[in-house]
Amino acid sequence: MGDMRKDYVSERFMIVTKKEDKIINPKKSPFAPGNESMTNPSVLSLVAKDGMLQRLQDNEDEYVEGWAIRVFESKNPIVSIDTENSYSDRPFYSEPAYGYHYIVVASPKEKDTFATIDPEQWSNVLVVVQDRLRWLYTQKGVTYVSIYADHGDLAGSTNPHPHLNLLTFSTIPPVIESEAEASHKILNEKGVCPMCQTVNEEIGGPRQVLQTEGFIAFCPWSPSYPYEFWISPKKHTTSFSKITQKEINDLSLILRATLGGLSKTVKNVSYNLVFHLSPEKKNSRQIHWHIEIYPITKSWSGLERGYGIFLNDVSPEQAAEKLGASCRKELANLVGII
């Protein structure tokens, strides 16, 4: 594996990783049933049988059949526990790209997307992610577990089959570190969690997209992308791994409704779905966990890339109005109102 390099001055990292030269049959999805031999053996295959979900795993050359969700180590990992233990100092600072990289295949159906799988399937996916998250935090050298999904070519997806990535780091990623530091500062100065304050202000406001019993989806005040929206628990909570089954079911419903609404609002949209979580190990810098969805509708200009100042041709208020209408219809269909 390659190494993780830091910018000369700023807290910005990039990973150098080797490109695999293996030829993969483009007519076969390695994530589809029947093609299990094209991936690493599963550490978990969830199989529905007699109304129950069985937790199985592949053995040597025997692959679990009839699975609904499948989890395995990536064959082309971005990080690896086998990376060389080498470091270098500034100005050419680097550290090992050490970690685990797991794939969670969210559906056996190739034509499914995160916007079409049903809420029950989403619940099962989130339970699997939650379990794997807990396990990863017991492993040596794991400081942070990132969870993300890419949908569409513009979002960096190399396989359209719906799946999530679980990627660990030995340090806290700069974006999470910055968010945690800022949240901690506001909490100390104002005595309030900034995300709790945000949620309270956005509920029922012009940027609200949708809400369920325990969650709210809203377009942020200062988005980096047109139609960007976040999903946050209404109550203060810093640990995704500790949410209950009832909360998981509620989160699944709002995820499915909002992603379905997004796909109806912006045709053929590519997007990234990213979990912003606190480090699960002992750490004083905690954040109110949430999920951020970044639709990719246009290319960035030099202003965005060079200066970090974002141009948006759709205001978050306009985006919320359009998304809200579509998402409410999706939710109504899902719960059987219409």
Side-chain angles (χ1 to χ4, degrees), residues 98-169:
Y98 179 92
Y100 298 83
H101 185 177
Y102 281 91
I103 303 293
V104 179
V105 180
S107 170
K109 300 175 183 177
E110 290 182 69
K111 293 186 178 180
D112 267 348
T113 70
F114 291 117
T116 62
I117 60 176
D118 62 42
E120 184 179 358
Q121 180 74 357
W122 253 117
S123 290
N124 293 333
V125 168
L126 291 176
V127 167
V128 167
V129 167
Q130 197 180 48
D131 287 351
R132 185 62 15 188
L133 180 72
R134 290 172 182 148
W135 180 84
L136 284 167
Y137 271 118
T138 68
Q139 302 307 297
K140 183 180 178 182
V142 173
T143 299
Y144 191 81
V145 180
S146 61
I147 305 166
Y148 67 94
D150 304 321
H151 172 79
D153 294 342
L154 294 178
S157 174
T158 56
N159 188 331
H161 201 126
H163 64 281
L164 291 96
N165 294 271
L166 273 68
L167 198 73
T168 75
F169 295 106

Side-chain angles (χ1 to χ4, degrees), residues 202 205-209 219-223 314-324:
E202 296 293 0
R207 287 172 298 278
Q208 177 181 295
V209 174
C219 292
W221 167 257
S222 177
V314 180
S315 75
E317 292 77 17
Q318 290 173 317
E321 185 178 0
K322 292 180 180 179
L323 284 173

Side-chain angles (χ1 to χ4, degrees), residues 71-328:
V71 185
F72 49 85
E73 289 190 75
S74 173
K75 266 204 167 181
N76 300 301
I78 294 172
V79 295
S80 172
I81 58 174
D82 298 322
T83 189
E84 293 182 12
N85 190 25
S86 59
Y87 293 81
S88 61
D89 257 336
R90 287 187 183 276
F92 305 117
Y93 179 85
S94 71
E95 61 187 59
Y98 179 92
Y100 298 83
H101 185 177
Y102 281 91
I103 303 293
V104 179
V105 180
S107 170
K109 300 175 183 177
E110 290 182 69
K111 293 186 178 180
D112 267 348
T113 70
F114 291 117
T116 62
I117 60 176
D118 62 42
E120 184 179 358
Q121 180 74 357
W122 253 117
S123 290
N124 293 333
V125 168
L126 291 176
V127 167
V128 167
V129 167
Q130 197 180 48
D131 287 351
R132 185 62 15 188
L133 180 72
R134 290 172 182 148
W135 180 84
L136 284 167
Y137 271 118
T138 68
Q139 302 307 297
K140 183 180 178 182
V142 173
T143 299
Y144 191 81
V145 180
S146 61
I147 305 166
Y148 67 94
D150 304 321
H151 172 79
D153 294 342
L154 294 178
S157 174
T158 56
N159 188 331
H161 201 126
H163 64 281
L164 291 96
N165 294 271
L166 273 68
L167 198 73
T168 75
F169 295 106
S170 53
T171 56
I172 299 175
V175 168
I176 300 299
E177 181 76 21
S178 175
E179 183 177 331
E181 286 289 339
S183 296
H184 186 72
K185 182 180 179 182
I186 292 171
L187 183 62
N188 279 346
E189 291 178 355
K190 307 290 186 182
V192 63
C193 162
M195 182 56 83
C196 287
Q197 188 177 35
T198 297
V199 166
N200 289 336
E201 292 292 332
E202 296 293 0
I203 286 179
R207 287 172 298 278
Q208 177 181 295
V209 174
L210 194 69
Q211 65 169 309
T212 57
E213 182 181 350
F215 293 87
I216 178 175
F218 61 93
C219 292
W221 167 257
S222 177
S224 300
Y225 306 88
Y227 296 100
E228 176 181 343
F229 65 91
W230 299 359
I231 297 173
S232 173
K234 291 179 181 177
K235 71 177 184 181
H236 181 70
T237 175
T238 60
S239 178
F240 168 75
S241 70
K242 293 179 181 177
I243 68 172
T244 66
Q245 185 63 54
K246 181 182 177 182
E247 290 169 322
I248 284 176
N249 293 343
D250 197 18
L251 175 59
S252 300
L253 185 61
I254 197 169
L255 265 169
R256 172 58 182 81
T258 51
L259 292 175
L262 173 64
S263 70
K264 298 276 197 320
T265 304
V266 186
K267 301 299 181 184
N268 302 315
V269 65
S270 295
Y271 59 83
N272 304 110
L273 183 153
V274 180
F275 285 67
H276 276 218
L277 308 178
S278 297
E280 292 282 328
K281 291 183 177 177
K282 188 176 181 181
N283 186 293
S284 61
R285 303 294 193 261
Q286 299 288 295
I287 61 175
H288 184 137
W289 77 265
H290 59 283
I291 299 171
E292 301 187 3
I293 292 88
Y294 315 131
I296 313 299
T297 59
K298 65 174 186 174
S299 297
W300 277 357
S301 71
L303 194 62
E304 285 99 352
R305 296 187 195 280
Y307 300 98
I309 297 175
F310 300 91
L311 293 172
N312 242 326
D313 52 10
V314 180
S315 75
E317 292 77 17
Q318 290 173 317
E321 185 178 0
K322 292 180 180 179
L323 284 173
S326 293
C327 294
R328 286 190 294 273

